[in-house]
Amino acid sequence: MSEWQPRILAILCNWCSYAGADLAGVSRIQYPPSIRVIRVPCSGRVDQLFILKSLQSGFDGVLVSGCHPGDCHYISGNYVARRKFALLKPLLEFIGIEPDRVQFSWISAGEGERFAEVITKITEDVRKLGPSKRLVKKT
Amino acid sequence: MAAVLPVGSDLSGAMNRFLKTILEKDIVDAVLMPMKVPSGDSFAWIIMSDSSIVDDAEAMAPVMPVQGARALRSLTRKGEGSIRVLALMRPCEIRAAIELSKLGQVKTENLILAAYDCPGAVPMDSFVSDPSSGEDLFRKMLAGEDVSAGEVKPSCTSCVEFSMTDADLHFGHFGLGGTEVLLIPGSPKGMEILEALELPADRETSIWDEAVRKRREKQVASRDAAFEETGENIRGVQGMLNVFADCISCRNCRAACPICYCRLCHFESETAKQDPNSRLDSAVTRGGISLPADRMLFHTGRMTHMSLSCVSCGQCSDACPADIPVAQVFSFVADRTQKAFEYSAGRNDGDPLPLRSFMKSELSGIHEMVSDAEPGGHAHE
């Protein structure tokens, strides 16, 4: 059996991070094939529940990425996302989910290089942690 | 400063008479307050415009059957009411009403929110099984006598917001020996009522202040002890699973919660339902899973949705048929989430909801979690 590969859900905002991923693609920058992308209109659209649910559904890690502060297409969506994330993070840690499994970053449409770096980093972080066993009771 | 209401023999009766008077003098058009149900084992919210009905009502009910904010919501969900209503409720109900007004679910324009010094409530199940002992117990609590913590609703034993909310009018009676009640106006609306009754707000409140302060000290200590215990019980994914292991997925906690107002809860929607095959796959890959699969997700998810507005009223625990300490867990979490944004649910009408406001430079640690990758140039300046 081949080596275990982490499965990471990347929730990307339409205006910056998704375009950043696109740029990484057209620039042919290499990064691990570990992510499954969901495009959302804005990182502010990301409900904390999306993250809990993706972990429960068996993803090993979750990355949420939006525009840099001040660059949000909808002016302030990413600030709200940051607040929501600040709330969820301690809860996840409290219930025993390793902090590195869920990450948050700002990636602009011009940062194809950075997109690849972020994906490489979260993939390695999650690989070190191994498959997600949490949120589901192991009998 | 406050106005004084003489009491006579019966505290609750004096408050009833006051409410009757403001109805008779047309200062308000209706009063919303609890009344004992015909069978005598519970109380219901009655909105009354006929002042003679007030005689049968109970200003301070021993139990909390339906959260008062839920009752208010049903009155103003389509905009401000057509008549002026005074709602007399517990402080936690007032705080929930204030949260709901921030969430656009209660319109306070034509409402006068009145609260009182709350001695706590009797748990619903023990009151229903023995109403007369329940009423005796509540009389003792009102008189400030010591009662054993196990007899009181658990969330009330660790409540620190039992007095003086952002209500328009507050009935203060702690420390006054049951001989008088202080009418403390909290807003111009409350002041108008006192003026209409020609009651001057000229009384010093220091005795009452001191009694409230003393009680708060005691309550803070018991809350801290309760938090410590709850924190230990729910620590780690196993702790949380153990606490919610008894959950029968009836969703009563959500139904009783004043803050959970969504018409279609995410957990009832089609998207929330798990794909059966993915469940079966998990059973194989993870060795075993419990069913229904989303109990833990429901509780943690509800927590992320409403903990910033949780007023720790304890209705969720009261409604739980499996005796899960839902309220203690939610209160513990809410305390921390609200502190993170220096927010206290329902305390002040003017404080914006934390997720409706933000500061440009805050929480810088969050986006620096991906620390190895340096941010590059912005796409647009």
Side-chain angles (χ1 to χ4, degrees):
Chain A
M1 203 171 155
S2 63
E3 195 200 344
W4 170 76
Q5 293 293 333
R7 277 194 309 168
I8 295 164
L9 183 70
I11 306 177
L12 309 177
C13 95
N14 178 51
W15 303 99
C16 294
S17 305
Y18 191 82
D22 207 24
L23 183 63
V26 294
S27 313
R28 304 196 171 218
I29 303 168
Q30 297 290 310
Y31 60 86
S34 55
I35 57 164
R36 314 288 187 274
V37 177
I38 289 181
R39 180 168 57 157
V40 288
C42 175
S43 55
R45 173 65 184 90
V46 179
D47 191 296
Q48 297 99 311
L49 209 53
F50 296 178
I51 297 170
L52 288 169
K53 179 140 177 153
S54 40
L55 290 171
Q56 191 215 30
S57 309
F59 277 102
D60 303 304
V62 181
L63 171 75
V64 180
S65 185
C67 307
H68 283 272
D71 281 357
C72 178
H73 187 77
Y74 305 100
I75 314 295
S76 61
N78 51 2
Y79 291 120
V80 175
R82 185 168 65 181
R83 283 205 154 195
K84 286 189 196 170
F85 203 75
L87 270 189
L88 181 67
K89 198 80 187 155
L91 177 70
L92 289 175
E93 285 171 33
F94 191 81
I95 62 175
I97 290 167
E98 303 88 339
D100 279 350
R101 269 196 209 285
V102 180
Q103 300 190 10
F104 193 55
S105 71
W106 313 122
I107 301 171
S108 80
E111 296 174 325
E113 196 75 46
R114 175 165 154 82
F115 181 83
E117 283 170 25
V118 168
I119 300 304
T120 310
K121 166 145 195 318
I122 188 170
T123 306
E124 286 320 306
D125 286 346
V126 173
R127 195 190 303 282
K128 272 182 224 145
L129 294 169
S132 170
K133 294 275 185 201
R134 301 297 191 176
L135 275 187
V136 177
K137 189 171 184 171
K138 185 102 169 99
T139 47
Chain B
M1 302 301 257
V4 182
L5 191 68
V7 163
S9 59
D10 173 19
L11 192 64
S12 214
M15 287 164 69
N16 272 20
R17 282 196 300 281
F18 174 85
L19 297 171
K20 197 173 170 175
T21 310
I22 61 170
L23 260 186
E24 281 166 351
K25 294 197 171 176
D26 278 335
I27 298 171
V28 296
D29 301 310
V31 169
L32 176 71
M33 62 193 291
M35 190 187 286
K36 196 184 278 185
V37 299
S39 59
D41 59 359
S42 186
F43 286 77
W45 288 103
I46 309 286
I47 176 162
M48 41 198 117
S49 57
D50 180 348
S51 62
S52 66
I53 307 177
V54 178
D55 295 329
D56 302 324
E58 194 77 48
M60 294 182 278
V63 285
M64 261 178 86
V66 170
Q67 232 274 8
R70 288 189 81 87
L72 272 185
R73 203 175 79 203
S74 67
L75 287 179
T76 63
R77 68 188 178 91
K78 291 199 168 169
E80 62 187 89
S82 52
I83 57 172
R84 264 165 86 81
V85 177
L86 182 140
L88 178 65
M89 306 190 295
R90 290 186 144 83
C92 55
E93 296 173 312
I94 299 285
R95 283 185 285 119
I98 290 172
E99 281 304 294
L100 286 176
S101 89
K102 292 181 192 178
L103 291 160
Q105 303 301 309
V106 161
K107 297 275 178 292
T108 54
E109 283 80 358
N110 252 349
L111 288 176
I112 293 141
L113 300 175
Y116 52 86
D117 287 347
C118 175
V122 178
M124 201 64 204
D125 54 349
S126 67
F127 191 85
V128 170
S129 59
D130 188 354
S132 63
S133 323
E135 285 185 21
D136 285 342
L137 176 68
F138 189 67
R139 264 192 292 276
K140 280 189 195 166
M141 287 155 64
L142 264 181
E145 292 173 34
D146 280 332
V147 295
S148 78
E151 290 180 293
V152 184
K153 209 173 141 180
S155 48
C156 301
T157 58
S158 46
C159 172
V160 297
E161 303 277 354
F162 53 86
S163 174
M164 213 48 204
T165 58
D166 202 16
D168 299 306
L169 193 62
H170 186 84
F171 294 80
H173 59 80
F174 281 159
L176 304 174
T179 55
E180 51 188 24
V181 175
L182 294 177
L183 294 171
I184 307 160
S187 72
K189 277 190 207 166
M191 205 64 209
E192 273 168 32
I193 291 184
L194 296 186
E195 277 162 11
L197 290 167
E198 293 174 5
L199 285 169
D202 54 4
R203 174 67 76 90
E204 258 291 304
T205 60
S206 55
I207 297 174
W208 172 79
D209 286 335
E210 180 60 17
V212 168
R213 195 190 59 77
K214 274 218 176 106
R215 189 185 160 88
R216 182 163 289 134
E217 243 168 45
K218 211 174 101 197
Q219 294 288 95
V220 166
S222 99
R223 182 195 63 174
D224 290 349
F227 276 173
E228 196 164 322
E229 193 191 327
T230 305
E232 276 315 305
N233 288 344
I234 60 172
R235 191 163 296 280
V237 77
Q238 201 55 49
M240 196 80 119
L241 277 168
N242 289 348
V243 170
F244 289 114
D246 298 345
C247 176
I248 63 167
S249 297
C250 65
R251 315 293 197 228
N252 276 6
C253 45
R254 183 189 65 202
C257 178
I259 303 300
C260 274
Y261 62 82
C262 296
R263 193 159 46 171
L264 179 64
C265 176
H266 170 82
F267 294 100
E268 302 304 322
S269 68
E270 210 43 49
T271 41
K273 296 195 173 70
Q274 284 265 330
D275 172 50
N277 285 330
S278 92
R279 294 289 84 201
L280 294 171
D281 286 350
S282 299
V284 173
T285 55
R286 296 176 194 236
I289 56 167
S290 77
L291 293 173
D294 60 352
R295 287 183 302 175
M296 181 77 162
L297 187 68
F298 169 71
H299 291 290
T300 47
R302 201 170 82 85
M303 223 174 252
T304 62
H305 280 178
M306 56 67 69
S307 81
L308 282 171
S309 290
C310 176
V311 295
S312 301
C313 63
Q315 292 298 84
C316 43
S317 279
D318 238 22
C320 181
D323 265 343
I324 299 169
V326 195
Q328 288 88 318
V329 176
F330 274 66
S331 185
F332 174 85
V333 173
D335 178 65
R336 278 148 187 79
T337 55
Q338 291 174 23
K339 270 187 188 144
F341 298 115
E342 292 168 2
Y343 183 73
S344 175
R347 182 178 285 167
N348 192 331
D349 198 24
D351 295 344
L353 291 167
L355 291 185
R356 293 260 177 90
S357 59
F358 58 85
M359 280 177 286
K360 285 188 174 170
S361 53
E362 62 171 3
L363 307 168
S364 59
I366 294 295
H367 59 274
E368 280 157 15
M369 277 169 186
V370 187
S371 48
D372 294 355
E374 286 298 316
H378 292 196
H380 33 95
E381 287 298 319

